[in-house]
Amino acid sequence: MIVNDRIVAYINSLDNGNSDICNSIEKQARADNIPIIRKEMGSLLKVLLRLKQPKRILEVGTAVGYSSILMSENMPKGCTITTIEKYEKRIPVAKSNFELAGVTDKITLIEGDAIEEMQKLEGEYDFIFMDAAKGQYINFLPEVMRLLSVGGLLISDNVLQEGDIVESRYAVVRRNRTIHTRMRDYLYTLTHMEELETSIVPIGDGITLSVRVK
Ligand SMILES: C[S@@+](CC[C@H](N)C(=O)[O-])C[C@H]1O[C@@H](n2cnc3c(N)ncnc32)[C@H](O)[C@@H]1O
């Protein structure tokens, strides 16, 4: 937890919730320990969608479709979402949730590994939400940059490793060291690329907001 628990609880106590279908998918996902965006990330996404008014959204990491459905309810008319998931147990659940929510005309689920699947995508996306394996973000970046339009927004979730990111590599438990090194590399790259203007925001487990400036 990188933000004081009481502050998070207070902020979340002010959350008005979402549609019934979103609330019920969220409840089930949390009960089943499926990793989905935190409440405060959901409310930030909603604001960013209202501000940015995207036309094409790409999400990397669908899980059971919660954040896709939330985005679909808060994006402008005519906007579409492409979301990629590789874990075969989650794919049918996401498909069934998209049916239940009545959003199959707005959301396309691509089954497979994000690196391979992104290579097949064409056209530009003006809103990319990266929410998959943290250790792979740096490997996703070349394809993400190929797909991100100038003026487009890249949001990357879970970038501060529950605060471990500020520790030395050797202070981090061994199994998290590779992710630690790769995430530091990713954050350094995002903040030093001349094509991007990036802010690291300590909300949830830490996110980055990057706007493509050239
Ligand atoms: C944090 S969950 C996504 C949660 C979802 N965005 C939500 O909030 O409802 C991350 C998902 O990314 C998937 N994932 C991880 N690495 C991936 C990859 N290389 N390609 C496609 N999916 C991947 C995992 O299987 C997992 O379901």
Side-chain angles (χ1 to χ4, degrees):
M1 188 64 74
I2 59 168
V3 183
N4 176 303
D5 283 355
R6 288 186 63 210
I7 303 233
V8 174
Y10 173 69
I11 293 171
N12 289 342
S13 75
L14 298 173
D15 192 290
N16 286 325
N18 295 297
S19 64
D20 289 348
I21 181 77
C22 255
N23 291 340
S24 108
I25 293 168
E26 178 186 17
K27 195 170 165 203
Q28 191 61 49
R30 298 210 193 281
D32 295 343
N33 282 325
I34 309 278
I36 59 168
I37 49 166
R38 298 175 195 212
K39 275 202 179 300
E40 58 277 29
M41 184 60 192
S43 73
L44 180 64
L45 270 183
K46 282 158 54 174
V47 170
L48 293 173
L49 288 164
R50 301 284 170 186
L51 270 175
K52 177 68 191 146
Q53 297 283 308
K55 293 187 174 61
R56 287 184 92 206
I57 299 174
L58 172 63
E59 175 182 63
V60 184
T62 318
V64 293
Y66 172 69
S67 53
S68 299
I69 295 170
L70 184 72
M71 289 194 286
S72 74
E73 291 179 350
N74 292 280
M75 66 193 193
K77 209 165 179 280
C79 180
T80 54
I81 301 177
T82 300
T83 181
I84 309 176
E85 176 58 53
K86 72 168 183 186
Y87 188 18
E88 62 280 359
K89 283 197 177 152
R90 292 193 180 143
I91 290 167
V93 186
K95 281 185 181 165
S96 136
N97 285 335
F98 294 154
E99 296 273 350
L100 270 176
V103 290
T104 50
D105 56 332
K106 298 180 196 160
I107 302 178
T108 305
L109 173 60
I110 298 182
E111 305 173 26
D113 186 86
I115 299 237
E116 286 165 28
E117 299 306 322
M118 278 194 288
Q119 284 169 8
K120 299 178 198 160
L121 296 178
E122 285 172 6
E124 294 188 321
Y125 292 81
D126 52 358
F127 196 100
I128 301 185
F129 180 41
M130 187 104 94
D131 191 21
K134 291 173 274 197
Q136 288 193 46
Y137 285 8
I138 189 72
N139 302 327
F140 294 154
L141 196 55
E143 279 308 308
V144 164
M145 291 307 293
R146 183 181 68 80
L147 295 166
L148 184 66
S149 61
V150 173
L153 179 64
L154 165 64
I155 304 154
S156 313
D157 200 6
N158 305 115
V159 298
L160 295 180
Q161 269 194 303
E162 299 286 342
D164 272 358
I165 200 82
V166 299
E167 305 296 343
S168 124
R169 174 181 161 81
Y170 299 101
V172 173
V173 290
R174 193 175 285 271
R175 68 171 184 279
N176 289 338
R177 282 186 193 160
T178 305
I179 295 181
H180 179 267
T181 305
R182 290 186 184 173
M183 190 51 87
R184 280 195 169 197
D185 190 11
Y186 182 64
L187 292 178
Y188 186 89
T189 306
L190 284 188
T191 49
H192 290 78
M193 278 175 81
E194 59 176 23
E195 294 91 338
L196 297 178
E197 189 64 52
T198 293
S199 174
I200 303 173
V201 186
I203 180 174
D205 188 25
I207 67 163
T208 52
L209 297 177
S210 308
V211 177
R212 184 168 198 156
V213 291
K214 56 165 101 159

